[in-house]
Amino acid sequence: MSRMKKTIVNLFTGFLGVGKTTALRHLIATRPASEKWAVIVNEFGEVGIDGAALMNDDLPVAEIAGGCLCCVAGPQMTATVATLLRRERPDRLLIEASGLAHAAGVIDELRAKPLGDALEVGAVLTLVDPRQFVSPDYLRQPLYRDQVAIADVLVANKTDMADVETMDAFRVQAGKLFPPKSVIAEVRDGLVNVQWLDAAVTIKPRYRPAIPAESGNGWDSAGWTFPPEQSFSGEKLTDFFDDLPKLLPGLVRAKGVFKVLDSWVWLNWAEGQWGASQVSWRRDSRFELIAPALDNAAIEAALQACFE
């Protein structure tokens, strides 16, 4: 008995007023004729407006109104998604999250049973206004940082309203994000590329991250990725980061995101100290470092020893 093909689900997020509905309308207008799509719209208010704007004769649209998806994600979102999948059997499901949605919680819900049995989580697209992106006031807001962190595809919209200095600053800051984005793009009027929906990162167990130009010469770099299902022990990771300077004399930088139980944690080692914080990244666990010389086999064995 063959397994039923899973529906690809793309989360579409961004802060209030960034132009998500306009961009989603453009995506819908350019969708491949061979693909059947369905859309779920989540709005903060009790009365849905975006859903009406997206209505199309051959496009099923469902609404979840009244709050951010993470607050209603349990029964209401699960029921809405399950009903839509059963009734329409779409090839792709797009979920437009409210500008106030904590997208990480939505991804967790979509991956968990029962939805995870029917869905394959594809690329997360996050729209940003570059003028907001370069503003420290926005980056101080946890919700805004989460929406940027979880993105596989980061799209600067309304670029025609930003000056040259703002766009230059956007490119520099976006290029330094960790984990790096699969696509960083600049558009106006919400003209996103439908091909970006398939831009999910291919998991590469080993990779070589770029060393910043200002870092100097004579250093080596390496990185590892692990599938999102792989959980790490927080206690073992703590010991691993404590022991890094002994494992790698002359260590310059080490950073990673790891799934620890039901949360995702960012660990960052620099200048002899390291710290930890929760993050919204959900694509994979990954670790990278820079040092004068690397024993990749020893590092990989130490990472695997941290598996839960």
Side-chain angles (χ1 to χ4, degrees):
M1 183 175 173
S2 61
R3 294 181 62 185
M4 186 178 297
K5 182 182 177 182
K6 289 189 175 185
T7 295
I8 299 172
V9 56
N10 297 99
L11 190 63
F12 203 68
T13 187
F15 218 55
L16 296 169
V18 77
K20 294 190 301 299
T21 302
T22 300
L24 192 52
R25 289 180 68 182
H26 176 72
L27 278 177
I28 291 168
T30 57
R31 72 191 189 275
S34 59
E35 281 192 10
K36 182 176 183 179
W37 285 17
V39 177
I40 291 177
V41 179
N42 170 231
E43 296 199 71
F44 191 71
E46 293 294 340
V47 178
I49 303 299
D50 288 356
L54 295 170
M55 287 297 179
N56 183 300
D57 288 342
D58 64 344
L59 183 75
V61 178
E63 290 182 301
I64 300 176
C68 87
L69 268 177
C70 61
C71 300
V72 298
Q76 187 177 355
M77 189 184 80
T78 299
T80 301
V81 172
T83 299
L84 204 56
L85 293 178
R86 185 172 59 252
R87 187 179 69 220
E88 304 295 340
R89 300 190 182 280
D91 299 303
R92 188 182 302 274
L93 172 64
L94 268 62
I95 299 180
E96 181 196 354
S98 155
L100 299 176
H102 291 271
V106 180
I107 294 294
D108 289 340
E109 192 76 19
L110 295 172
R111 280 199 175 132
K113 290 181 177 294
L115 296 181
D117 293 332
L119 295 173
E120 176 187 339
V121 178
V124 177
L125 275 69
T126 298
L127 258 64
V128 296
D129 184 324
R131 297 167 298 176
Q132 297 173 349
F133 185 84
V134 303
S135 166
D137 291 338
Y138 278 85
L139 290 178
R140 275 194 287 265
Q141 299 186 38
L143 180 61
Y144 191 85
R145 290 200 309 270
D146 286 354
Q147 291 179 349
V148 170
I150 201 170
D152 296 300
V153 180
L154 183 70
V155 182
N157 192 26
K158 302 185 176 182
T159 55
D160 53 317
M161 302 174 71
D163 57 28
V164 174
E165 291 77 16
T166 297
M167 292 309 303
D168 286 343
F170 166 79
R171 293 171 193 131
V172 170
Q173 292 183 31
K176 291 181 177 179
L177 292 171
F178 180 85
K181 304 306 175 191
S182 182
V183 175
I184 298 173
E186 302 169 17
V187 303
R188 54 184 296 177
D189 303 321
L191 298 179
V192 294
N193 189 329
V194 70
Q195 294 179 350
W196 295 340
L197 295 175
D198 294 320
V201 177
T202 300
I203 294 178
K204 298 170 291 183
R206 281 278 305 280
Y207 67 98
R208 183 175 296 275
I211 297 180
E214 66 269 17
S215 295
N217 297 320
W219 291 342
D220 199 0
S221 66
W224 289 262
T225 60
F226 303 92
E229 299 81 20
Q230 178 61 60
S231 187
F232 286 76
S233 161
E235 185 176 346
K236 292 177 181 177
L237 282 174
T238 297
D239 292 340
F240 172 68
F241 267 74
D242 282 340
D243 292 341
L244 270 177
K246 290 180 283 184
L247 184 64
L248 295 163
L251 178 65
V252 176
R253 188 73 192 274
K255 54 188 175 180
V257 285
F258 300 92
K259 182 182 181 184
V260 178
L261 297 177
D262 292 328
S263 65
W264 290 72
V265 181
W266 150 276
L267 300 177
N268 184 29
W269 189 102
E271 299 178 350
Q273 295 183 321
W274 68 275
S277 59
Q278 287 195 334
V279 291
S280 293
W281 178 256
R282 293 295 190 273
R283 176 61 54 195
D284 51 32
S285 291
R286 58 176 59 205
F287 173 73
E288 65 181 41
L289 46 75
I290 301 172
L294 301 178
D295 184 341
N296 290 326
I299 298 164
E300 188 161 343
L303 284 168
Q304 290 177 353
C306 295
F307 287 174
E308 189 64 77

